[in-house]
Amino acid sequence: MKKTFIYILIIYMFSWNNVLRSQNNMPNHLQRIYSLSTIWKEMQYNFAFPEKLKQVNIDSLYLAYLPKVEGINSEYEYYKTLSEFIAHFNEAHTRIYIAKRPDDTPPIKISNLGKKIIVSDISKKSVEKIPIGSEILKINNIPVIEYINDSVSPYISASTPHWKFEKSATEVLYGRPHTSVNILVKPPKGKEHEVTLIRDYNSNGMKEPMVKGDNASPISIKIIEKNIGYIQLGSFGGQFLDSINNTLRVYLPQLRTCKGLIIDIRGNRGGTDAAWENIACSLIPESQFKLSGKWLSRKNITTFRKWGEYAPQFRSYYEGTAMEEIKHPSYLNEIDDSLKLSQPLVILSGQYVGSAAEDFLILMKEQKRGIIIGEPSVGCVGEPMFIPLTNNYELMFCSKKYINVDGSQPNDTGILPDIEVRNSYESYYIQGIDNILDRGIQELMKTIK
């Protein structure tokens, strides 16, 4: 009995220590007001989409959220309140950032597949109860789609409705650390049943072993059926520059002998354009190339703003919509033509492709180099800027936007595929068939002589 009591006491003290540690980063009253005011100021004058500011009336929104940040009682509420404020601006590069988030999730990863909320990875100790491929039907006795719409999406900033839902699905089980969440799951084989999980994966240092784990390589190259070169690009993170370039260099001679190429960037959230520069140079015949549209950023000149109240030529300064084009030099393609990859090309894209990976898609689309197959991308084209707040929090917001040659904005839709193909739950998890890859091979074979 005594040993049991001591064991329970240790668990209690450990849990309470985690709660106290999370509260130590709670900004005080003035810091909370300062942070919200800093967000308002930076968005008002530097956010790359001033039209969105007018749609939500940022001044009224700021005044509405002042009492909210004043009245919160925990860091968790603070993070959620700032995230909710930011979500009103509907831009995927714009959110609250902190290295150690004050919320948490069970050791489980969730994804959306045709409006089915699916377990894509889980801890090894829980996989028997919740096999990979299980569908989540309810959360805390609420139908999962209803739960997402009411309890998750209001805190997610996204330019496109499809990305708001996709991102919300991945965060559907997040909540206060060390709290329980009840889910109703339907395994691929078996009956529906309820499982209770604890939100402690991040609090425990993400040490819980997962079935799949996060072992995806930034680049993987292989030769698949019918002598097709398959290049999978999982990330364009700056830390992977050498790995991407070195791997490409090793495989280029073999890739040049292939009849066709498939570049798979599904799941690539972006990073830096420098990560795909050598790949693009290997694919594009021109000696110089660049994106054909315009990059724009906000322009604030105080005197012009005053004059704009009366002079039409300065009206955009007065209204806060003046923009300046940011011109970038062309990429210099120094790869000899004899060494380039000139075969027919298919690019596989999809729901989690964002940022620098979308820049790559835009370039290939503008260059008419290859057929894009899959689903619309995130809609997260632009350049983020980070502004420090208090207590290690930062505001991340889009400071530069891209406008297509025809005047349209890619973030309104994501980068649309030339041929839209989606994986279904039945085909992907039950039959093990990748519809998008299969269609890519089919289309490629039509162009191979």
Side-chain angles (χ1 to χ4, degrees):
M1 181 68 180
K2 185 176 180 181
K3 287 183 178 179
T4 302
F5 175 76
I6 294 173
Y7 177 71
I8 294 172
L9 182 62
I10 290 172
I11 293 176
Y12 174 79
M13 291 177 65
F14 176 78
S15 300
W16 183 244
N17 185 52
N18 280 332
V19 172
L20 288 176
R21 188 160 56 242
S22 68
Q23 292 305 307
N24 287 340
N25 199 43
M26 170 68 171
N28 63 35
H29 176 259
L30 290 178
Q31 288 173 326
R32 298 197 300 272
I33 294 176
Y34 169 80
S35 292
L36 181 66
S37 301
T38 300
I39 295 170
W40 169 84
K41 177 189 68 174
E42 293 294 340
M43 296 292 287
Q44 180 79 284
Y45 293 102
N46 297 315
F47 183 49
F49 301 89
E51 65 279 4
K52 293 180 182 285
L53 303 180
K54 297 184 182 299
Q55 290 169 4
V56 301
N57 192 338
I58 186 173
D59 292 339
S60 296
L61 191 68
Y62 168 67
L63 292 174
Y65 272 78
L66 272 174
K68 291 186 178 184
V69 298
E70 288 184 283
I72 58 179
N73 298 308
S74 69
E75 188 189 355
Y76 173 79
E77 292 177 29
Y78 173 68
Y79 175 73
K80 296 288 282 186
T81 301
L82 292 188
S83 296
E84 185 182 44
F85 179 82
I86 287 295
H88 285 85
F89 303 107
N90 295 321
E91 206 289 311
H93 260 143
T94 302
R95 56 185 179 270
I96 299 301
Y97 177 80
I98 183 169
K100 186 177 181 180
R101 286 171 49 163
D103 56 359
D104 209 338
T105 180
I108 184 173
K109 291 187 178 181
I110 308 296
S111 59
N112 166 56
L113 195 59
K115 289 297 176 77
K116 289 182 180 290
I117 309 307
I118 306 300
V119 175
S120 55
D121 198 6
I122 192 166
S123 66
K124 292 181 179 180
K125 73 176 184 181
S126 300
V127 70
E128 288 189 13
K129 294 180 182 178
I130 312 175
I132 291 176
S134 296
E135 180 183 0
I136 297 179
L137 302 176
K138 291 184 179 181
I139 296 176
N140 293 336
N141 208 34
I142 300 171
V144 66
I145 302 300
E146 180 183 339
Y147 185 91
I148 285 175
N149 292 335
D150 294 343
S151 302
V152 186
S153 290
Y155 305 95
I156 302 297
S157 187
S159 303
T160 58
H162 64 266
W163 176 242
K164 181 178 274 289
F165 186 84
E166 302 286 357
K167 180 64 174 173
S168 298
T170 66
E171 302 213 355
V172 70
L173 295 182
Y174 274 79
R176 291 179 183 272
H178 307 287
T179 58
S180 63
V181 57
N182 183 269
I183 61 176
L184 177 65
V185 297
K186 180 182 178 182
K189 298 178 181 178
K191 297 180 179 180
E192 298 176 9
H193 60 276
E194 292 187 349
V195 181
T196 299
L197 301 170
I198 304 299
R199 298 180 173 109
D200 62 358
Y201 182 55
N202 296 329
S203 301
N204 292 334
M206 296 185 289
K207 294 178 181 178
E208 186 72 42
M210 305 291 280
V211 174
K212 291 184 177 179
D214 190 16
N215 299 318
S217 171
I219 182 170
S220 175
I221 299 177
K222 60 183 178 180
I223 309 302
I224 61 175
E225 58 182 288
K226 300 172 184 176
N227 196 22
I228 293 173
Y230 176 82
I231 306 169
Q232 187 173 37
L233 298 168
S235 174
F236 287 143
Q239 70 272 31
F240 300 128
L241 271 174
D242 289 341
S243 175
I244 292 172
N245 291 331
N246 291 338
T247 302
L248 180 66
R249 188 179 303 112
V250 169
Y251 279 91
L252 268 176
Q254 191 174 2
L255 289 172
R256 281 194 289 270
T257 67
C258 294
K259 291 182 177 180
L261 302 172
I262 291 177
I263 294 181
D264 189 347
I265 61 171
R266 291 177 294 174
N268 190 324
R269 299 286 185 91
T272 171
D273 289 358
W276 53 252
E277 183 177 348
N278 282 343
I279 297 169
C281 287
S282 299
L283 295 167
I284 295 173
E286 283 74 23
S287 60
Q288 295 186 34
F289 58 85
K290 63 187 298 187
L291 295 178
S292 303
K294 293 182 178 180
W295 291 102
L296 301 174
S297 190
R298 294 283 292 281
K299 188 175 185 180
N300 296 293
I301 299 179
T302 308
T303 298
F304 288 178
R305 182 182 175 194
K306 173 179 171 56
W307 293 350
E309 187 174 2
Y310 309 101
Q313 65 268 39
F314 298 110
R315 191 71 182 176
S316 62
Y317 291 93
Y318 179 72
E319 295 176 344
T321 59
M323 309 291 289
E324 181 166 339
E325 183 177 358
I326 308 298
K327 296 185 177 181
H328 295 278
S330 298
Y331 290 101
L332 299 179
N333 192 345
E334 298 179 347
I335 296 180
D336 189 271
D337 288 346
S338 64
L339 302 178
K340 290 182 180 178
L341 302 171
S342 57
Q343 307 99 314
L345 171 68
V346 161
I347 301 172
L348 306 183
S349 182
Q351 57 197 136
Y352 299 110
V353 175
S355 195
E358 290 182 293
D359 295 346
F360 177 74
L361 280 179
I362 293 173
L363 177 65
M364 294 295 106
K365 206 174 183 70
E366 290 179 350
Q367 294 286 328
K368 294 181 171 51
R369 183 68 176 98
I371 303 170
I372 300 173
I373 296 176
E375 302 176 65
S377 64
V378 168
C380 186
V381 180
E383 184 174 302
M385 180 175 181
F386 289 84
I387 299 295
L389 304 174
T390 61
N391 296 54
N392 298 316
Y393 279 79
E394 291 181 281
L395 165 66
M396 172 182 171
F397 70 95
C398 187
S399 60
K400 186 178 70 173
K401 67 180 178 183
Y402 185 76
I403 301 296
N404 293 320
V405 175
D406 62 4
S408 63
Q409 222 293 316
N411 285 1
D412 289 342
T413 60
I415 313 305
L416 301 178
D418 299 309
I419 300 174
E420 185 168 321
V421 181
R422 297 178 184 270
N423 280 320
S424 69
Y425 176 78
E426 181 69 24
S427 65
Y428 194 76
Y429 278 103
I430 304 301
Q431 300 175 5
I433 297 172
D434 187 340
N435 293 335
I436 298 174
L437 176 58
D438 285 355
R439 183 61 181 273
I441 294 172
Q442 291 172 19
E443 294 298 321
L444 197 57
M445 294 309 297
K446 291 178 184 178
T447 62
I448 294 176
K449 298 178 180 179

